[in-house]
Amino acid sequence: RQIMIDQRNKTSQPVSGGSSTCHKRESAKKMISSTTSTAESQSSSLTTKEKPHFSQFAGQPLSVRQCFVETVGLENFIRTIIKELHLKMNEHVLFDMNSQGTLTRWDDVFRVEKTYTTCLGISRRTYTCHGYTHEPKKQLAYFILGEHNERSMKILPAFDFHVMIFCYYDSNGIVTKVDVQYDQMGFYMNCFGLAAMHSWCMKCVVTPFAMRWMDAYNKTGMVHPLTFLVQVLVTLTIFSYVVFQVVM
């Protein structure tokens, strides 16, 4: 009888071990499921953050967000960036071009852009934007717009340009005003190739001459504002005399 009882005890021990193993497996499954649900909730929250609506920022002072937009043509860029800003557009808008001119319809904005780029010898214009700043309290979003301008004539060089854009919207998220700020004189100098000529002259002529003059000036040991002013006056006098002789 004692032997039979010992055998029964031996056979009952694995059963208890098996039940504890089952409990461990169930607890592990519960931990995995809870971890998975937590990860899914976090991923869903991240997805929500990646695509916010403008109304979600109400009450916040400032929001800086990253984006990447690269399109050809102003109309394609405007429609793409407005979607990126989670705003909407209708037929009318107050489009202020560097405080030099104002348009009131999107169709007029797009037609003007196509016309003047053709007149200035721009055959293809690529717009890029890498981020924007959003101020919900002011109902304002602004960003730096990059332009790469390819030319229709080989004698005119291609050039890059940057513009500051301010977009105002109403409580419904509809863009009501666009303020465009840029260096107008610099833009036209790039269009006519004068900026490229000035850059080449400063790089290849003025800078090497200025470096040699600086070395010679330092060797004299007389570097002083008064001596520098004397050199400027002498140079201007000689230049004026030469110009006068050529003209006369």
Side-chain angles (χ1 to χ4, degrees):
R1 290 180 181 177
Q2 185 67 30
I3 294 172
M4 292 177 65
I5 291 170
D6 293 338
Q7 290 178 351
R8 289 178 181 176
N9 292 333
K10 290 180 180 180
T11 54
S12 62
Q13 288 177 358
V15 174
S16 62
S19 62
S20 62
T21 305
C22 292
H23 287 300
K24 290 180 180 179
R25 289 178 180 175
E26 291 178 358
S27 61
K29 288 181 180 179
K30 290 180 180 179
M31 291 176 64
I32 293 171
S33 62
S34 63
T35 304
T36 305
S37 61
T38 304
E40 290 177 353
S41 63
Q42 290 178 354
S43 63
S44 62
S45 63
L46 287 174
T47 305
T48 306
K49 290 180 181 179
E50 288 175 357
K51 296 182 178 181
H53 190 265
F54 75 95
S55 60
Q56 296 181 9
F57 301 110
Q60 297 182 7
L62 188 68
S63 175
V64 180
R65 295 199 164 266
Q66 183 180 4
C67 68
F68 180 77
V69 177
E70 183 175 1
T71 59
V72 177
L74 180 63
E75 184 173 0
N76 293 332
F77 175 79
I78 290 292
R79 297 187 184 279
T80 304
I81 194 64
I82 285 180
K83 290 181 180 179
E84 189 71 26
L85 296 173
H86 311 285
L87 300 174
K88 295 175 288 185
M89 58 186 296
N90 57 15
E91 185 178 356
H92 298 280
V93 67
L94 185 62
F95 198 90
D96 187 358
M97 297 180 294
N98 212 38
S99 301
Q100 302 293 328
T102 303
L103 301 174
T104 58
R105 295 171 59 91
W106 281 114
D107 291 339
D108 294 337
V109 173
F110 301 144
R111 288 192 301 108
V112 167
E113 192 267 346
K114 290 181 181 179
T115 303
Y116 87 79
T117 51
T118 303
C119 294
L120 294 175
I122 299 174
S123 60
R124 178 185 173 94
R125 175 178 279 178
T126 304
Y127 296 90
T128 57
C129 178
H130 301 287
Y132 62 92
T133 304
H134 186 202
E135 296 188 28
K137 289 185 177 181
K138 297 182 181 179
Q139 295 182 335
L140 167 66
Y142 52 92
F143 54 90
I144 296 177
L145 166 66
E147 297 179 1
H148 177 69
N149 298 276
E150 299 179 10
R151 314 309 298 274
S152 56
M153 302 175 65
K154 293 183 178 180
I155 59 174
L156 297 175
F159 66 93
D160 295 324
F161 202 70
H162 292 87
V163 181
M164 193 74 183
I165 307 291
F166 298 85
C167 293
Y168 298 87
Y169 58 90
D170 58 14
S171 58
N172 296 320
I174 299 176
V175 177
T176 57
K177 180 182 178 181
V178 177
D179 189 6
V180 181
Q181 298 292 332
Y182 64 99
D183 179 12
Q184 193 171 17
M185 183 62 67
F187 177 77
Y188 286 113
M189 287 184 65
N190 278 285
C191 285
F192 295 110
L194 298 177
M197 293 174 59
H198 177 265
S199 178
W200 178 87
C201 182
M202 293 298 296
K203 179 181 178 180
C204 300
V205 179
V206 176
T207 301
F209 174 79
M211 293 296 294
R212 290 184 177 87
W213 166 84
M214 182 187 66
D215 293 338
Y217 189 30
N218 286 326
K219 289 180 181 179
T220 61
M222 300 175 61
V223 179
H224 192 271
L226 292 178
T227 57
F228 177 73
L229 181 61
V230 171
Q231 291 186 72
V232 172
L233 293 175
V234 171
T235 303
L236 290 176
T237 303
I238 295 173
F239 179 77
S240 300
Y241 176 79
V242 171
V243 171
F244 181 77
Q245 293 296 324
V246 171
V247 173
M248 297 300 294

